[in-house]
Amino acid sequence: TQTPFVFVFVSDPLGSKIIRSLARPGGNITGVSQMDTELCGKRVQILIEVMPQLKRLGVLLNPNVPYVPKMIKITRQAAKTANLEVHLFEATSAKELSPAFKAMSENAMEAFVQLPHAMFWQNREEVVRLADQYRLPAVYEATEFVTIGGLMAYAENFPAHMRRAAAYVDQILRGTEPASLPVSQPMEFELAINLRTARNWKINIPESVLVLADQIIE
């Protein structure tokens, strides 16, 4: 109640009940939303364009957050446009990652999307290693998954994200009340593709996707 807060890297501040509304966050808090919930559908669309024959899609998720049902709904809606079968695979800790990937393989998943969560981010090297082990293409929540070998990622531009949060800190230190600062949403997004991984897995990235890429790892 005394210390102002500026949040960053929050996937769904409304769904998490951190704020009352985007325009009027209330309390002593404001910040920058990641819009990860809205981006779930876009990540599925990218997979469909890269793998037009895709039929069975896995969704790797941690169920212990309040906004996951909304993310699943948006993911299913995007998958429905291509008549994809969607199957959910849960992992709540690092030790549950390997069983989740094994289950995806045993259930004949052809690719997967990973719903954003701090646990996956903290264990991104293991996530990418298991994806490589089971040859499961994916679109991840951040470019950092791609730089260590993941196939693709679609996310907001993190440096721009942090700069906007810093501007809020500046205003608060100058006397502005956090409750009067509307929660900002990302305006810059980036698509990252690891062509080395694509070649190793014999996945052809179409030119229509390559031209949209902001970062290509050879």
Side-chain angles (χ1 to χ4, degrees):
T1 57
Q2 299 298 319
T3 304
F5 281 85
V6 175
F7 61 77
V8 292
F9 305 129
V10 176
S11 294
D12 187 349
L14 275 175
S16 301
K17 298 182 180 179
I18 294 173
I19 59 173
R20 298 172 188 169
S21 74
L22 294 175
R24 298 180 180 276
N28 211 12
I29 188 167
T30 189
V32 187
S33 169
Q34 275 189 268
M35 277 184 69
D36 269 326
T37 301
E38 292 80 358
L39 294 182
C40 288
K42 180 64 176 179
R43 293 178 181 125
V44 174
Q45 292 169 5
I46 293 170
L47 262 181
I48 292 170
E49 190 162 355
V50 171
M51 303 175 67
Q53 304 305 315
L54 181 64
K55 294 300 180 186
R56 295 174 64 82
L57 177 69
V59 179
L60 180 64
L61 61 95
N62 185 332
N64 296 332
V65 282
Y67 50 78
V68 159
K70 185 176 178 181
M71 285 185 170
I72 293 173
K73 180 180 178 180
I74 292 175
T75 299
R76 288 189 184 278
Q77 288 173 341
K80 188 177 181 180
T81 63
N83 296 316
L84 299 184
E85 290 184 30
V86 175
H87 300 262
L88 307 182
F89 299 88
E90 297 182 358
T92 60
S93 64
K95 67 180 181 181
E96 294 180 1
L97 288 172
S98 184
F101 273 89
K102 183 179 180 182
M104 279 196 276
S105 178
E106 290 176 345
N107 285 275
M109 295 301 106
E110 299 166 307
F112 74 97
V113 290
Q114 171 246 313
L115 301 189
H117 189 275
M119 188 276 291
F120 297 125
W121 166 261
Q122 292 161 357
N123 295 281
R124 57 191 178 279
E125 291 187 359
E126 179 68 0
V127 170
V128 170
R129 185 191 71 78
L130 288 165
D132 182 66
Q133 176 182 333
Y134 289 102
R135 286 295 191 269
L136 283 168
V139 179
Y140 295 98
E141 65 175 281
T143 299
E144 284 75 8
F145 284 80
V146 177
T147 58
I148 59 174
L151 181 62
M152 296 182 291
Y154 185 73
E156 74 276 9
N157 182 292
F158 280 3
H161 188 101
M162 294 300 292
R163 285 193 293 270
R164 297 178 79 181
Y168 275 174
V169 172
D170 177 67
Q171 292 181 68
I172 291 170
L173 290 176
R174 293 174 186 272
T176 304
E177 293 293 328
S180 69
L181 295 171
V183 172
S184 178
Q185 293 183 292
M187 299 179 66
E188 298 179 43
F189 302 92
E190 59 184 15
L191 172 63
I193 300 172
N194 192 316
L195 283 184
R196 183 170 61 246
T197 299
R199 285 193 296 268
N200 288 343
W201 294 2
K202 295 180 172 55
I203 295 175
N204 179 44
I205 307 294
E207 190 66 26
S208 60
V209 176
L210 286 174
V211 298
L212 298 175
D214 302 280
Q215 184 173 157
I216 295 178
I217 298 172
E218 298 283 354

